[in-house]
Amino acid sequence: MTRFIFITGGVVSSLGKGLASAALGACLQARGFKVRLRKLDPYLNVDPGTMSPYQHGEVYVTDDGAETDLDLGHYERFTGVSSRKSDNITTGRIYSDVIARERRGDYLGATVQVIPHVTNAIKDFVKSDITDEDFILCEIGGTVGDIESLPFLEAIRQLGNELGRERTMFIHLTLLPYIPSAGELKTKPTQHSVKELLSVGIQPDLLMCRSERDIPDSERKKIALFCNVRYEAVIPALDVDTIYQVPVSYHEQGLDAQVCRHFHIESPEPKLDRWQTIVERVRQPEGEVTIAVVGKYTSLLDSYKSLAEALTHGGIANNVKVRLNWIDSQIFEREDVVQHLEPCHGILVPGGFGERGASGKIEAVRFARERLVPYFGICFGMQMAVIESARNLVGLNGANSTEFGPCENPVVGLMTEWLKGNALEKRVATGDLGGTLRLGAYDCALKRDSKVREIYGADLISERHRHRYEVNMDYRPALEKVGLSFSGLSPDGVLPEIVERPDHPWFIGVQFHPELKSKPFDPHPLFTSFIAAAVRQSRLV
């Protein structure tokens, strides 16, 4: 019997519902339960694929090619359960499906309304694609009181009635702000938030109270009394020094125990040893390296959430602290790269779209190549590495990407077709932007005796993609003559996936996004190797 836990948030946004959901999933998983996590997003976009990283943060891509909310990255990193298209839905997709059904006549002439048609579509999504999971954890995006989230709240209210208390639980995440002038935590925002939730017919079964300070028992009792929950079900969600401490902290506060009590389940105490080991490594590293991340969205670090975590995982694997130096690539268009990059032990250029900041990234690549500093190029970062070699080593004037407009030597060009399984995917330049990239997991064959073959320890790998442009293979012979090896290709040998420089201590560019598959308990081999190279570099400077 699958049970459903619905996680809502109140008072303010960015309280960490995604992290709380992921940590709860990890705790239940440690008790031996099979879990799956889902996100209901209230915005009208069909998916976040066309949204600016400044608006939404990173777009997390699943194996089956869905462009989803970044919280699904938390879910995967904490539970190891691969997310699917069926784990993220938006208001835009719900309304698109409902309107499409109305146009087909599926509603038999009925007047289509939010209730029951939209709410039924949401409920169908929540209950879809379930096999033998013990728990489905559904996070509802936004903040209670937002008009956009009302259909989702109504849908989960209905599910609570239809499935019964033995199969549903409502968890509400709130904030207890500390007022310095009063010298105390304030419970009133939490009371108002619960009142707002009650106004749509949902009584929370458990409250998670975010706070930067310990919550006195008197305040917990007050919250329990005014919000109509048991004292034990008021769980302090205190700030911690590393997010990987969260599952341990929530367990110590009784979160998973209260969930089991709600569902009348007896289960053994969870085994959280691996989380405690991870936390110890984060807190007590044996050294430190500095990595320069030369990107274009550095003013909002959520744009590179999975990347930052993957670098941390590489540090955990090498038992070192990874200090990240976030650099806006545009600064290299007016300042010398040396003063910014010389103190760093490794340079990473991440993915991105558009010409802005591209020349600065190329300068960062050149610095890494000439100074023999470990270099890791991801997606756009691989393309910039190829352009740098074409310009400065091959001597191709005007070598560039057609993403930026017509050019004399299109070293990087628009992808027009590729194989996905046995099917041929085709794209045109004038097509829609949303959902038209090369998305999801694709195989890559590794060249024998290459560095990446040594790193992966396999001949064939699978990695997740999100790109519309690729390196032009017509330039491969000229690039390989100047030392740039094409060490990873699609199995049919048509699409370039990995380049590396055998004459360099560590210089690798990949067309895919390896950060999406890294986990603290299973660091991605490329990030592990990159940080190991940075450690060696730190001993040279």
Side-chain angles (χ1 to χ4, degrees):
M1 179 176 69
T2 301
R3 299 166 177 86
F4 295 85
I5 301 175
F6 300 104
I7 299 98
T8 56
V11 185
V12 295
S13 60
S14 302
L15 279 182
K17 292 192 303 299
L19 191 55
S21 303
L24 174 56
C27 289
L28 293 173
Q29 196 179 55
R31 284 180 177 267
F33 296 114
K34 187 173 182 180
V35 301
R36 182 154 214 90
L37 291 100
R38 291 187 162 158
K39 178 74 182 289
L40 314 181
D41 274 311
Y43 49 75
L44 280 170
N45 303 68
V46 171
D47 60 41
T50 60
M51 296 171 70
S52 166
Y54 293 120
Q55 288 270 324
H56 190 263
E58 78 169 358
V59 175
Y60 192 81
V61 179
T62 60
D63 277 337
D64 57 2
E67 294 178 287
T68 70
D69 185 83
L70 62 82
D71 279 326
L72 273 73
H74 287 312
Y75 304 163
E76 284 203 24
R77 284 189 289 274
F78 276 74
T79 66
V81 178
S82 292
S83 297
R84 301 192 287 256
K85 287 183 179 180
S86 56
D87 293 325
N88 190 204
I89 200 72
T90 67
T91 298
R93 190 174 295 280
I94 290 289
Y95 274 85
S96 294
D97 292 347
V98 168
I99 291 170
R101 293 182 65 185
E102 183 273 330
R103 293 288 84 189
R104 291 195 303 266
D106 292 358
Y107 296 118
L108 303 177
T111 300
V112 180
Q113 298 175 290
V114 174
I115 303 173
H117 301 101
V118 171
T119 52
N120 283 348
I122 296 171
K123 290 189 292 182
D124 289 343
F125 165 78
V126 170
K127 296 185 293 183
S128 68
D129 196 19
I130 295 173
T131 53
D132 59 343
E133 288 85 0
D134 298 301
F135 289 97
I136 301 293
L137 280 64
C138 275
E139 175 195 350
I140 290 79
T143 306
V144 170
D146 294 345
I147 191 169
E148 294 93 343
S149 60
L150 285 175
F152 291 102
L153 296 176
E154 172 60 20
I156 65 173
R157 181 197 68 79
Q158 292 178 20
L159 278 172
N161 286 336
E162 294 168 10
L163 298 174
R165 284 184 57 80
E166 66 276 9
R167 290 190 63 193
T168 57
M169 181 179 189
F170 295 99
I171 294 178
H172 192 51
L173 186 69
T174 71
L175 174 69
L176 265 63
Y178 178 77
I179 308 300
S181 59
E184 60 183 2
L185 294 168
K186 290 298 182 180
T187 65
K188 191 63 70 177
T190 293
Q191 296 176 43
H192 280 299
S193 184
V194 172
K195 184 178 179 181
E196 191 77 40
L197 198 57
L198 285 168
S199 71
V200 295
I202 296 174
Q203 165 65 55
D205 301 298
L206 182 145
L207 295 176
M208 298 181 67
C209 300
R210 286 298 313 275
S211 175
E212 60 184 14
R213 296 167 178 258
D214 289 333
I215 303 174
D217 281 348
S218 60
E219 299 304 296
R220 289 180 66 186
K221 290 176 181 177
K222 182 178 180 180
I223 293 168
L225 177 65
F226 281 90
C227 297
N228 195 31
V229 296
R230 292 179 297 102
Y231 165 79
E232 296 82 6
V234 179
I235 304 294
L238 306 181
D239 292 350
V240 291
D241 58 345
T242 168
I243 61 172
Y244 301 120
Q245 172 67 25
V246 175
V248 177
S249 295
Y250 284 180
H251 166 67
E252 291 172 348
Q253 297 293 347
L255 175 61
D256 49 309
Q258 290 304 314
V259 169
C260 291
R261 173 175 175 172
H262 173 87
F263 289 111
H264 305 290
I265 297 173
E266 292 186 5
S267 72
E269 282 292 297
K271 297 179 179 179
L272 297 171
D273 296 355
R274 73 177 180 182
W275 293 106
Q276 290 166 338
T277 300
I278 289 166
V279 170
E280 287 174 8
R281 286 209 164 196
V282 171
R283 288 176 174 168
Q284 300 175 347
E286 294 180 354
E288 179 178 302
V289 295
T290 301
I291 302 298
V293 182
V294 183
K296 64 185 295 185
Y297 311 120
T298 53
S299 60
L300 180 67
L301 297 187
D302 271 356
S303 303
Y304 300 115
K305 188 63 181 175
S306 292
L307 179 67
E309 295 307 315
L311 286 165
T312 297
H313 305 163
I316 291 171
N318 288 281
N319 204 16
V320 295
K321 177 181 176 61
V322 178
R323 188 176 299 280
L324 299 181
N325 183 10
W326 299 96
I327 301 174
D328 188 333
S329 59
Q330 291 182 98
I331 199 171
F332 296 149
E333 296 170 6
R334 58 183 182 273
E335 295 183 18
D336 186 12
V337 299
V338 175
Q339 62 178 313
H340 295 281
L341 298 181
E342 198 166 44
C344 300
H345 308 122
I347 298 168
L348 189 150
V349 174
F353 295 91
E355 186 175 10
R356 181 176 62 83
S359 60
K361 294 180 180 182
I362 292 171
E363 285 303 307
V365 174
R366 182 173 186 169
F367 177 91
R369 177 179 60 79
E370 293 179 344
R371 297 293 190 95
L372 301 181
V373 177
Y375 175 78
F376 195 179
I378 295 177
C379 195
F380 195 80
M382 167 184 163
Q383 296 171 8
M384 295 303 101
V386 174
I387 291 174
E388 191 276 331
S389 288
R391 288 181 182 179
N392 299 322
L393 296 178
V394 180
L396 294 176
N397 294 324
N400 217 334
S401 170
T402 59
E403 182 178 0
F404 312 148
C407 56
E408 183 180 345
N409 285 293
V411 175
V412 177
L414 178 70
M415 299 183 70
T416 56
E417 58 182 54
W418 61 88
L419 284 175
K420 188 175 181 72
N422 295 321
L424 183 66
E425 296 271 333
K426 292 188 176 183
R427 299 290 185 267
V428 294
T430 56
D432 288 344
L433 293 179
T436 61
L437 295 84
R438 187 178 187 226
L439 294 165
Y442 287 86
D443 289 340
C444 169
L446 303 182
K447 182 180 178 181
R448 192 176 298 275
D449 298 327
S450 65
K451 191 169 193 69
V452 287
R453 171 64 181 79
E454 176 189 342
I455 291 170
Y456 277 99
D459 295 318
L460 189 71
I461 60 171
S462 175
E463 293 284 1
R464 298 177 188 176
H465 293 66
R466 183 176 182 251
H467 61 105
R468 185 174 283 108
Y469 292 81
E470 65 172 339
V471 174
N472 187 340
M473 290 285 274
D474 291 343
Y475 292 89
R476 178 182 178 182
L479 289 163
E480 290 197 322
K481 282 183 180 179
V482 296
L484 191 67
S485 173
F486 284 65
S487 54
L489 302 173
S490 58
D492 59 7
V494 173
L495 300 177
E497 296 277 14
I498 306 175
V499 297
E500 62 179 67
R501 298 198 68 87
D503 59 351
H504 192 283
W506 208 101
F507 189 106
I508 294 174
V510 299
Q511 187 59 73
F512 45 82
H513 288 269
E515 70 272 22
L516 300 179
K517 297 184 74 170
S518 186
K519 302 168 185 65
F521 44 81
D522 185 19
H524 193 285
L526 282 176
F527 284 92
T528 299
S529 180
F530 176 57
I531 297 302
V535 171
R536 293 191 293 271
Q537 182 73 14
S538 70
R539 294 168 182 160
L540 298 175
V541 297

